[in-house]
Amino acid sequence: MTARHVGPLLEIKGIKTHFFTQDGVVKAVDDVTFEIGHGQTLGVVGESGCGKSITSLSVMRLIERPGKIVAGEIRLNGENLLDKTDADMRDIRGDQVSMIFQEPMTSLNPVFTCGDQIAEAVQQHTAVSRREAMDRAVEMLRVVGIPDPKRRAAEHPHQLSGGMRQRVMIAMALSTDPDLLIADEPTTALDVTIQAQILEVMRDLREKNRMAIMLITHDLGVVAEMADEVVVMYAGKVVERADVRTVFGSPHHPYTQGLLLSIPRLDERRERLEVIKGTVPSPLNLPEGCLFKRRCPHRMRVCDTAPPYQEVGSGHFSRCWLTPAGEAPDVGADAEGEEAQHAAEQLTVGAR
Amino acid sequence: MVSDTTAAEIERRRAEEAEAESADIDRTPVRTYWQLVRQRFLQHRLAVIAVIVLVILASYAIIVPTVTGDAWRTTQLFRDDAPPEVFAEDGEFTFAILGYNEYGQNLFARLGKATQTSLTIGLAAVIIIVVIGVFVGSIAGYVGGWVDNVLMRFVDIMLSLPGLFIILMITAFFGQGNVWVVVFAIGLTGWTTAARLVRAEFLSLREVDYVQAARALGASPQRIMLRHMLPPAMAPIVVAATLGIADSVVVESALSFLGFGIGRDSASLGTMLQNARDYFFSGPLKVVYPGVILILIVLSASFLGDGLRDALDPRQRVEK
Amino acid sequence: MNDEGQTMTPTGATPGGDGVPQPGDEMSGGRTSAERAADRGGSAAAPLLEVDNLVKHFDIRGGLLGVSKLGAVRAVDGVSFSVTEGETLGLVGESGCGKTTLGKVILRLLPPTAGKVNFEGKSLFDLSSRELKAARRDIQVVFQDPYASLNPRMSVGEIVGEGLYVHGMTNKKERESAVRDLLKRVGLNQAHIHRYPHEFSGGQRQRIGIARALALRPRFIVCDEPVSALDVSIQSQVLNLLSDLQDEFQLTYLFIAHNLAVVKHLSTRVGVMYLGKLVELSDADELYRSPAHPYTKALLSAIPVPDPTVRRERIVLKGDLPSPANPPSGCRFHTRCPMAQEICKVEEPPLRDVGGGHLSACHFAEEVTPLGSERTSAQSA
């Protein structure tokens, strides 16, 4: 954690977002807690279906039926967003919190010019004339590195390339100077060279505006480059959380370890990749106890009881039975029932 | 070459992977594509009701004319506009539960015959529409290029002609009153939409990976079309066909109403409506009966189409 | 290194993580046949597949009947390379560079505009339809999208067995036992032979696709982005499977992907494409160590390193990819190249050997410096 941490910008406390489908309740986000400080970048990592996108949509209060935020608090600058009216939320969205999505084409209106759309966003949140708003739009396009911004402002989204569109999205998201930018897989649909451009733009703007970023991605490389702190999610839960160096340097949770070992790296030649065996469990058929146990190389009997969310190092949390040194817990590898539950409660400290 | 230890190692690892992967699948029962289709269809309540209605109408159209024989056209002057009855005074079983019309024809029997005629025309015309439409559309879509262009411009020309006018011309020219002439007239003018649908499906399916994979395996064009392209293309066709039944029944009724369809010696919903027109105020029920049947057919067909569209779409999830 | 007995024995990294990695083995272990092939070089041994000046243009047509030609998208524009038996040739490039089109032309799924592709010396474009069908047994494909690549209306058994059926194995029992064997080999449960694709996860579907490609015992497989649609933890499973199968069946791969790290992991040699042209072709490690084309270098530098303590030199390319319908004059990369000179706008650089079989299409290939990177430990990135 960094020194700037005075009172966190965004505090998410134990939110649960469940989807009530006809097949049963899907606990897409299940008791997720983390915070983001002013000007900080938090990387939220996980595979598809881990709940990282639903977490971000929950912050924006954009969960639609059959989904519902059933518990928890989402505090932005100390105010609980879950208590806000829909009208208040509309003001907050785009003003204090902005969001950019993976596929910019679907989030831009094809019938308006890019300039119009940014200007509209500006006018919605600040009392300026159309003209001033348009000037601001052109200025924002310049800031995100679009050459010839005046001409581009008069163009429609389909006239732009994918990378350009994503820049327009970022320009729109930043036009109101938000405190927090939620970026949901902002570069996944882009080529690497374009991704590099976009990440550069985001890094630049983060410095200039002292803006916090919640960066949701499956790409560990992007996280390593961008994030200060990292949250690893698996099957709706946070399984590990620490600053970026700790997560990449000495991960504690077997899932995080597995993920890091399974990616092919440019700078080394590996004969075989390590793999995490099996697949993500179906959200309708989650295992008892630890959600990762079926795929875990360290599986013990005690894993049938929900593991503690323990602090394994300073500011380093992990939802696993293993001790910080990676050994079986004090209660014993075969502990069961109440004994194990009690041990889990004892070990879970400070996290909530 | 792979040494023995490696082979054993690989074998063990594969088995382990297979075991790790199969847990989630094994809990669900094996369900074929068609079982899923059935399940999805049964979830569509309106479509299920539509099927029941159509089955009742079809049984009515088959059973009543068979049981009552010629009653639908036997004119009995002494029974004009007679009230409903089940047995005549002489004890004969007449089954005239809707009474008689101005010619003393058994309305219930006549309505049965009319339903039969209309449904027959609807089904037969749709078969022609689907056969021609699938043939033209699949060739245009699969072959592409100039063949596609020529066929589709022809379709455009067909579409630009006023359909009902063409049908009227055909029936007037080839013998008014013949059921099959009406069927062909509707069929020959109606296939263009189906052809367009099939072509569009084939054009997009041609690029789909599993079709490409089948080509890479060396499957013949016939096999690719029949096995990989037609089944997914059938979903919109089936929907179009069910709607086509409704359309054809309405067109036939319109034709008959205008006097160009089924002659007076037969009965269809259209002729019954036309006959009843003169008695709209004195005997409104004569309009209501064929009208209700017509509406039931049209509505059921379109609900059935809706249900089939959802059921045939493999992207739709099955809910319990 | 060319010892017949030295096979890939993946004792180190087993899924359970219970093995002991062998750090000393990094460079020499495994892929022996591939490395042997690489040693011989592309031209010395008779290559399995030769692509000679292949061109594929997509005409942009218009007019009343859509037959008048308005222009052409030059998806593949004069690409030559060869693939030696047993090796994996990786092909990287960004979207629109023509790599997928190239694969489809080799597979004869798209007709070529010009050029030649020889398989074992025989031109694939001069085959009768019967010969083509026979050739298809040898050349198979694995697609990217595990959802679109399997017919949702067919069971796993029908999908995997289709090739066998098409090529004459009409006996149902025989086919089923062959399919069961294939399922076992790709790590699927044989009991699932009657299941339908929608019941499987993405990784499992990809395994089904691989089994289908293997059914005809091909010698050459075009893998078109086989893992890019999969989750990270599943990607590595499929990559391991592909490399195991390569040893098991002596397969030769053309591995097409946009992820350079994935390509490098699996490939013996790597080709880099840009706007329909092959701009660099070299041994995989060599390509990473000392790229000889500024585009390759930029591509390498753009890949984020999954290690916050490493800072790599970053070359951010200006602008977007030009349209392949209207590519720049001279060197196609000159509009974005940080090293561009006057000559690059005029003269198209040929693909030439810059030493040791390392091919590059750059006028200044010798001046491209290796990518710098440093390990920081003091301050966070």
Side-chain angles (χ1 to χ4, degrees):
Chain A
M1 303 226 183
T2 49
R4 298 184 266 193
H5 200 90
V6 214
L9 170 68
L10 178 78
E11 278 178 282
I12 294 178
K13 280 190 196 160
I15 58 161
K16 296 184 178 188
T17 305
H18 294 178
F19 285 76
F20 299 88
T21 70
Q22 294 190 338
D23 290 339
V25 179
V26 173
K27 297 177 177 175
V29 175
D30 198 27
D31 199 5
V32 163
T33 300
F34 59 78
E35 60 270 342
I36 305 177
H38 288 275
Q40 255 207 332
T41 299
L42 176 83
V44 182
V45 200
E47 297 178 280
S48 48
C50 72
K52 56 190 193 298
S53 287
I54 302 296
T55 306
S56 67
L57 290 174
S58 303
V59 173
M60 294 295 269
R61 286 256 315 266
L62 288 173
I63 299 294
E64 283 176 24
R65 264 193 342 131
K68 196 167 182 282
I69 304 171
V70 292
E73 280 174 31
I74 299 170
R75 291 191 180 277
L76 184 71
N77 286 323
E79 288 180 66
N80 190 353
L81 296 184
L82 297 182
D83 296 338
K84 299 280 180 195
T85 63
D86 287 351
D88 286 344
M89 265 323 286
R90 274 195 293 277
D91 283 341
I92 291 169
R93 269 181 232 134
D95 186 27
Q96 294 177 49
V97 191
S98 285
M99 189 158 179
I100 51 178
F101 297 93
Q102 178 175 346
E103 185 30 76
M105 199 57 203
T106 51
S107 352
L108 289 170
N109 189 332
V111 300
F112 293 109
T113 65
C114 299
D116 278 339
Q117 297 186 50
I118 301 174
E120 167 137 5
V122 173
Q123 276 189 305
Q124 236 164 39
H125 298 291
T126 38
V128 289
S129 71
R130 184 73 189 163
R131 221 212 154 102
E132 286 170 292
M134 206 62 197
D135 287 346
R136 173 97 176 129
V138 173
E139 168 63 15
M140 284 315 298
L141 289 178
R142 197 189 55 71
V143 167
V144 296
I146 291 185
D148 201 356
K150 245 203 164 99
R151 185 169 65 88
R152 292 297 183 184
E155 287 188 335
H156 291 268
H158 67 89
Q159 291 169 290
L160 305 176
S161 67
M164 287 286 199
R165 274 184 228 133
Q166 196 57 285
R167 282 165 196 254
V168 171
M169 276 300 295
I170 295 177
M172 185 154 43
L174 300 187
S175 60
T176 54
D177 252 329
D179 300 327
L180 174 66
L181 175 71
I182 300 179
D184 188 355
E185 304 270 6
T187 57
T188 305
L190 304 175
D191 282 319
V192 270
T193 58
I194 308 298
Q195 164 172 290
Q197 294 173 353
I198 297 292
L199 293 183
E200 185 106 329
V201 167
M202 285 176 60
R203 247 191 310 251
D204 258 20
L205 294 172
R206 174 178 65 184
E207 304 298 314
K208 276 185 206 148
N209 301 5
R210 221 175 97 79
M211 171 182 69
I213 301 178
M214 177 170 162
L215 177 68
I216 294 148
T217 179
H218 70 277
D219 188 328
L220 293 165
V222 171
V223 173
E225 290 210 350
M226 299 287 295
D228 303 314
E229 230 198 317
V230 179
V231 159
V232 182
M233 287 186 72
Y234 185 79
K237 287 193 185 289
V238 174
V239 293
E240 183 153 13
R241 179 180 145 204
D243 67 273
V244 67
R245 284 176 174 241
T246 310
V247 166
F248 282 87
S250 50
H252 179 263
H253 199 281
Y255 176 63
T256 317
Q257 293 171 353
L259 269 190
L260 286 169
L261 284 173
S262 69
I263 41 174
R265 307 253 315 237
L266 264 182
D267 45 5
E268 50 185 72
R269 189 42 122 173
R270 285 193 210 158
E271 197 34 61
R272 257 188 100 69
L273 296 168
E274 289 279 345
V275 296
I276 303 175
K277 63 185 176 188
T279 45
V280 178
S282 149
L284 290 165
N285 177 40
L286 293 176
E288 282 287 303
C290 175
L291 301 176
F292 186 62
K293 67 177 183 189
R294 284 191 204 145
R295 308 175 72 186
C296 185
H298 304 287
R299 181 174 179 176
M300 300 169 282
R301 172 112 35 99
V302 72
C303 299
D304 292 336
T305 308
Y309 189 55
Q310 49 176 330
E311 187 161 14
V312 293
S314 165
H316 182 184
F317 300 92
S318 171
R319 192 179 298 280
C320 182
W321 275 108
L322 294 176
T323 62
E327 284 152 7
D330 293 340
V331 68
D334 292 333
E336 280 178 298
E338 269 176 42
E339 186 193 4
Q341 272 170 24
H342 183 72
E345 277 161 32
Q346 289 296 306
L347 284 168
T348 305
V349 275
R352 21 193 118 190
Chain B
M1 292 300 115
V2 181
S3 67
D4 286 348
T5 49
T6 316
E9 169 68 13
I10 288 175
E11 189 108 323
R12 187 190 64 74
R13 197 162 50 224
R14 300 282 163 74
E16 198 175 80
E17 283 174 23
E19 191 253 333
E21 302 246 331
S22 62
D24 270 346
I25 293 183
D26 284 339
R27 283 175 305 105
T28 58
V30 183
R31 287 185 293 193
T32 68
Y33 172 71
W34 292 109
Q35 284 170 323
L36 289 173
V37 167
R38 204 183 58 211
Q39 256 174 309
R40 283 190 292 246
F41 186 82
L42 291 176
Q43 281 162 18
H44 208 291
R45 229 166 272 155
L46 276 176
V48 174
I49 295 172
V51 168
I52 296 169
V53 170
L54 284 176
V55 166
I56 293 171
L57 285 177
S59 335
Y60 172 51
I62 293 165
I63 295 166
V64 170
T66 317
V67 170
T68 58
D70 265 351
W72 63 273
R73 63 173 167 197
T74 313
T75 52
Q76 295 164 295
L77 289 178
F78 56 93
R79 274 185 174 147
D80 57 323
D81 290 323
E85 58 179 22
V86 178
F87 294 98
E89 283 154 15
D90 54 6
E92 188 200 355
F93 176 62
T94 57
F95 212 11
I97 52 172
L98 297 179
Y100 293 85
N101 68 3
E102 66 280 7
Y103 303 111
Q105 290 166 325
N106 181 338
L107 262 180
F108 188 63
R110 201 168 168 73
L111 200 59
K113 181 67 184 176
T115 310
Q116 187 185 58
T117 312
S118 292
L119 281 179
T120 309
I121 289 176
L123 276 176
V126 155
I127 290 172
I128 295 180
I129 286 173
V130 167
V131 168
I132 302 181
V134 167
F135 187 74
V136 173
S138 55
I139 289 180
Y142 188 82
V143 179
W146 66 268
V147 175
D148 176 35
N149 273 304
V150 169
L151 286 173
M152 284 304 115
R153 291 304 84 77
F154 179 66
V155 165
D156 288 346
I157 293 167
M158 291 286 293
L159 278 169
S160 65
L161 300 172
L164 192 61
F165 181 70
I166 303 283
I167 296 173
L168 283 173
M169 282 204 346
I170 296 175
T171 50
F173 196 78
F174 285 103
Q176 216 167 311
N178 186 328
V179 171
W180 299 110
V181 171
V182 174
V183 165
F184 277 103
I186 296 175
L188 288 179
T189 51
W191 59 270
T192 46
T193 325
R196 282 189 150 190
L197 271 174
V198 177
R199 170 188 174 262
E201 284 292 315
F202 268 50
L203 271 183
S204 60
L205 281 167
R206 210 165 51 160
E207 303 303 323
V208 169
D209 284 350
Y210 66 77
V211 172
Q212 299 274 343
R215 285 183 62 201
L217 287 172
S220 62
Q222 296 90 306
R223 184 180 166 84
I224 291 173
M225 279 164 103
L226 291 176
R227 197 92 171 91
H228 295 284
M229 295 173 85
L230 205 52
M234 274 324 276
I237 297 170
V238 166
V239 177
T242 49
L243 297 175
I245 292 179
D247 260 5
S248 309
V249 170
V250 170
V251 168
E252 179 278 320
S253 300
L255 277 182
S256 301
F257 190 81
L258 293 172
F260 284 87
I262 310 303
R264 280 179 181 262
D265 56 331
S266 185
S268 80
L269 295 175
T271 50
M272 285 189 75
L273 279 170
Q274 198 221 6
N275 287 340
R277 188 181 53 171
D278 299 338
Y279 306 93
F280 192 78
F281 293 105
S282 57
L285 283 179
K286 287 177 197 163
V287 182
V288 170
Y289 296 142
V292 166
I293 301 264
L294 190 59
I295 290 169
L296 281 179
I297 293 177
V298 172
L299 281 182
S300 310
S302 58
F303 286 138
L304 175 62
D306 273 0
L308 285 174
R309 186 192 53 218
D310 292 351
L312 289 171
D313 184 354
R315 280 163 300 191
Q316 296 264 341
R317 294 273 324 263
V318 173
E319 289 146 3
K320 274 182 214 119
Chain C
M1 199 178 262
N2 47 15
D3 172 13
E4 190 72 26
Q6 185 189 1
T7 51
M8 182 178 150
T9 317
T11 46
T14 47
D18 47 350
V20 186
Q22 292 149 295
D25 235 24
E26 274 183 2
M27 295 298 297
S28 61
R31 243 182 247 88
T32 42
S33 54
E35 302 221 345
R36 259 181 285 130
D39 286 348
R40 271 189 243 124
S43 52
L48 185 66
L49 184 96
E50 267 176 297
V51 176
D52 185 18
N53 206 16
L54 191 68
V55 177
K56 173 66 191 174
H57 291 179
F58 291 99
D59 292 342
I60 305 167
R61 290 181 184 281
L64 182 66
L65 287 176
V67 286
S68 35
K69 191 175 156 183
L70 304 179
V73 173
R74 300 158 87 168
V76 177
D77 213 10
V79 169
S80 307
F81 60 84
S82 60
V83 190
T84 317
E85 178 137 32
E87 80 166 332
T88 298
L89 180 71
L91 214 49
V92 280
E94 297 178 280
S95 48
C97 73
K99 56 190 192 300
T100 293
T101 306
L102 179 66
K104 287 196 168 165
V105 174
I106 291 172
L107 286 160
R108 283 290 312 264
L109 294 175
L110 285 173
T113 306
K116 269 204 307 201
V117 174
N118 288 352
F119 187 78
E120 292 199 296
K122 258 170 107 183
S123 168
L124 282 182
F125 300 151
D126 303 331
L127 300 177
S128 68
S129 61
R130 174 185 253 170
E131 287 171 320
L132 176 61
K133 188 173 167 181
R136 291 204 183 284
R137 299 187 72 125
D138 283 333
I139 307 175
Q140 277 301 311
V141 58
V142 175
F143 285 107
Q144 167 179 13
D145 184 344
Y147 291 84
S149 62
L150 306 179
N151 187 338
R153 288 169 180 78
M154 286 165 76
S155 72
V156 172
E158 289 170 309
I159 291 169
V160 177
E162 177 160 32
L164 298 171
Y165 177 83
V166 164
H167 285 272
M169 193 193 275
T170 42
N171 181 321
K172 206 171 171 185
K173 269 219 176 99
E174 217 179 307
R175 210 164 61 232
E176 192 171 311
S177 81
V179 169
R180 280 179 188 277
D181 179 58
L182 284 163
L183 293 183
K184 193 174 84 184
R185 283 169 188 271
V186 298
L188 285 169
N189 191 331
Q190 300 178 41
H192 295 162
I193 186 166
H194 299 301
R195 300 264 173 180
Y196 284 75
H198 65 89
E199 301 177 75
F200 295 88
S201 66
Q204 288 169 310
R205 282 157 174 255
Q206 205 56 306
R207 286 171 194 264
I208 299 170
I210 292 170
R212 168 178 63 194
L214 282 178
L216 294 173
R217 292 289 184 271
R219 302 176 54 198
F220 184 77
I221 297 185
V222 175
C223 304
D224 188 359
E225 302 265 14
V227 297
S228 48
L230 303 176
D231 269 324
V232 181
S233 73
I234 310 299
Q235 274 191 9
S236 50
Q237 295 175 358
V238 173
L239 287 174
N240 282 349
L241 177 68
L242 283 172
S243 84
D244 287 352
L245 292 172
Q246 179 164 43
D247 292 338
E248 210 171 330
F249 294 98
Q250 285 91 49
L251 295 167
T252 306
Y253 289 143
L254 178 65
F255 192 90
I256 300 168
H258 68 275
N259 185 332
L260 204 48
V262 167
V263 169
K264 180 176 167 276
H265 171 74
L266 216 65
S267 304
T268 330
R269 289 186 301 147
V270 175
V272 181
M273 284 185 75
Y274 185 77
L275 276 184
K277 291 270 184 198
L278 195 61
V279 296
E280 184 163 6
L281 179 66
S282 119
D283 171 80
D285 293 309
E286 162 89 7
L287 185 86
Y288 171 72
R289 263 198 315 269
S290 52
H293 195 285
Y295 177 64
T296 311
K297 191 178 169 190
L299 208 57
L300 285 167
S301 84
I303 297 165
V305 200
D307 185 344
T309 59
V310 170
R311 300 203 79 177
R312 198 191 278 153
E313 180 189 355
R314 167 66 49 86
I315 303 157
V316 176
L317 290 179
K318 318 170 276 209
D320 287 317
L321 202 68
S323 159
N326 185 22
S329 64
C331 173
R332 293 187 176 189
F333 186 55
H334 85 253
T335 51
R336 302 172 74 194
C337 182
M339 296 170 63
Q341 309 273 328
E342 273 310 307
I343 183 180
C344 303
K345 293 181 190 161
V346 196
E347 199 178 315
E348 185 171 332
L351 191 66
R352 62 197 168 93
D353 195 331
V354 295
H358 188 153
L359 306 180
S360 166
C362 177
H363 292 300
F364 306 101
E366 284 77 8
E367 288 162 36
V368 181
T369 50
L371 197 65
S373 82
E374 58 179 295
R375 189 167 282 271
T376 63
S377 46
Q379 161 217 346
S380 148

